[in-house]
């Protein structure tokens, strides 16, 4: 999702959570450091020892797996325990109940598997990390939530309107290459036609939602004039709900370590939302330029001109 960059804390966390690094010596080797220096550097960055963090995150993953029906025995060995009994004792000490009690539990919160942590680092499925922001929420009256909500809602309304306009185009006009070689972001592919740009407006939200919810890489099901509005209608309310949830929890500074990237990268949630809104606005204007080239009359997409009946927030 962006150019790879060196992130030493993530490298240290990767060394701790690598499935093959089951003891301190192996973790240190994975980080190209001595055990003493690795422990010191890791502790300075997280406030927790490498072994303690690995044990806690593996228990969080085990709780998440059990709540989705995984067998206790399989979960115990996957968490690195040599016996089911040892896993059961550790799990019960951490959560206050035995692992079997969670095997078929329902209606758990999305983060109910998290244990107390001195650093906000938690397991995020399938094997990502989530790093909570350690700062306090902004005092009442000092939040930009109203502005963010309006931007998010305008983006969704405007995208929906453009999809509706494009649906009436002839197939040849919808697929015609109008900006040869145009690439907005290299990892999203070419955006030379109306259909390609509209597909990336939808795809961007699909892939970031999957990352934030711990899902798999979504499939790109094409940008046909009939299929794309259906994809948008599915992702739009989920995207609005995700932004509302971030705001409700005051989690704008939370950091997601995203395993859908190769290599995995860390992103601040507020930055993710800003990224999506920035490039969505750019792409919506690209679609407008292309629609005008077809001879369609299109507005400016200006929030100031947003119809009054749609000036409601997503809060």
């Amino acid at each position: 999702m962006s150019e790879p960059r060196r992130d030493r804390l993530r490298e240290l966390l990767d060394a701790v959570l690598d499935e093959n690094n089951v003891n301190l010596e192996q973790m240190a080797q994975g980080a190209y450091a001595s055990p003493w220096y690795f422990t010191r550097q890791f502790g300075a960055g997280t406030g927790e020892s490498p072994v303690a963090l690995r044990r806690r995150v593996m228990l969080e993953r085990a709780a998440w797996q059990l709540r989705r029906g995984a067998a206790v025995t399989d979960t115990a060995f996957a968490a690195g325990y040599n016996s089911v009994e040892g896993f059961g004792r550790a799990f019960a000490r951490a959560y206050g109940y035995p692992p079997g009690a969670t095997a078929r539990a329902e209606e758990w919160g999305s983060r109910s598997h998290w244990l107390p942590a001195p650093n906000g680092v938690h397991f995020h499925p399938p094997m990502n990390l989530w790093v909570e922001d350690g700062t306090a929420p902004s005092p009442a009256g000092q939040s930009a939530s109203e502005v963010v909500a309006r931007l998010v809602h305008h983006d969704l309304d405007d995208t929906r309107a453009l999809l509706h306009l494009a649906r009436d185009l002839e197939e040849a006009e919808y697929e015609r290459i109008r900006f040869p070689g145009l690439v907005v972001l290299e990892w999203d592919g070419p955006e030379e036609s109306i259909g390609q740009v509209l597909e990336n407006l939808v795809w961007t939200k699909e892939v970031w939602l999957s990352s934030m919810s711990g899902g798999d890489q979504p499939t790109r099901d094409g940008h046909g004039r009939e299929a794309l509005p259906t994809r948008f209608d599915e992702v739009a309310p989920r995207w609005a709900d995700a932004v509302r949830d971030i705001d409700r929890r005051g989690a704008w500074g939370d950091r997601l370590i995203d395993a859908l990237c190769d290599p995995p990268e860390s992103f601040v949630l507020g930055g993710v939302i800003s990224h999506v809104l920035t490039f969505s606005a750019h792409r919506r204007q690209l679609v407008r330029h292309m629609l005008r080239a077809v001879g369609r009359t299109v507005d400016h997409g200006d929030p100031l001109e947003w119809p009054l009946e749609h000036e409601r927030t997503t809060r």
Side-chain angles (χ1 to χ4, degrees), residues 172-278:
E173 297 294 347
Y174 184 77
E175 299 286 0
R176 187 184 302 278
I177 294 178
R178 300 188 181 278
F179 291 104
L182 177 63
V183 174
V184 176
L185 296 169
E186 58 271 22
W187 49 87
D188 287 331
E191 303 192 43
E192 303 168 316
S193 68
I194 292 173
Q196 289 175 327
V197 180
L198 286 172
E199 202 268 344
N200 274 334
L201 274 167
V202 177
W203 162 254
T204 297
K205 294 177 177 64
E206 290 174 333
V207 73
W208 278 113
L209 271 176
S210 186
S211 175
M212 290 190 289
S213 65
D216 295 329
Q217 181 86 0
T219 56
R220 303 189 76 157
D221 295 328
H223 57 264
R225 290 172 299 162
E226 299 299 323
L228 201 53
T230 301
R231 284 173 58 188
F232 178 78
D233 288 341
E234 194 280 329
V235 77
R238 292 174 52 226
W239 176 253
D241 286 345
V243 177
R244 276 196 296 270
D245 182 61
I246 292 169
D247 184 53
R248 178 185 59 79
R249 295 185 292 108
W252 297 105
D254 280 13
R255 184 174 292 272
L256 166 67
I257 298 181
D258 181 10
L260 295 183
C261 294
D262 185 18
E265 293 189 54
S266 59
F267 302 98
V268 175
L269 288 185
V272 170
I273 306 305
S274 299
H275 167 89
V276 173
L277 288 173
T278 295

Side-chain angles (χ1 to χ4, degrees), residues 6 10 18 49 53 90 98 101 128 170 224 227 252 274 280 285 291 297:
R6 183 174 175 81
R10 182 186 64 76
D18 189 301
S49 76
L53 184 139
N128 308 349
E170 295 291 335
W252 297 105
S274 299
S280 181
Q285 293 307 314
L291 286 171
T297 300

Side-chain angles (χ1 to χ4, degrees), residues 80-128:
Y81 288 83
N82 294 323
S83 69
V84 176
E85 292 76 15
F87 169 71
R89 288 192 296 271
F91 190 96
R93 281 196 303 271
Y95 287 97
Y97 47 81
T102 69
R104 298 195 179 277
E106 297 178 352
E107 298 180 0
W108 294 93
S110 61
R111 295 167 183 82
S112 59
H113 56 277
W114 286 1
L115 293 167
N119 43 41
V121 177
H122 296 283
F123 168 75
H124 182 63
M127 193 50 205
N128 308 349

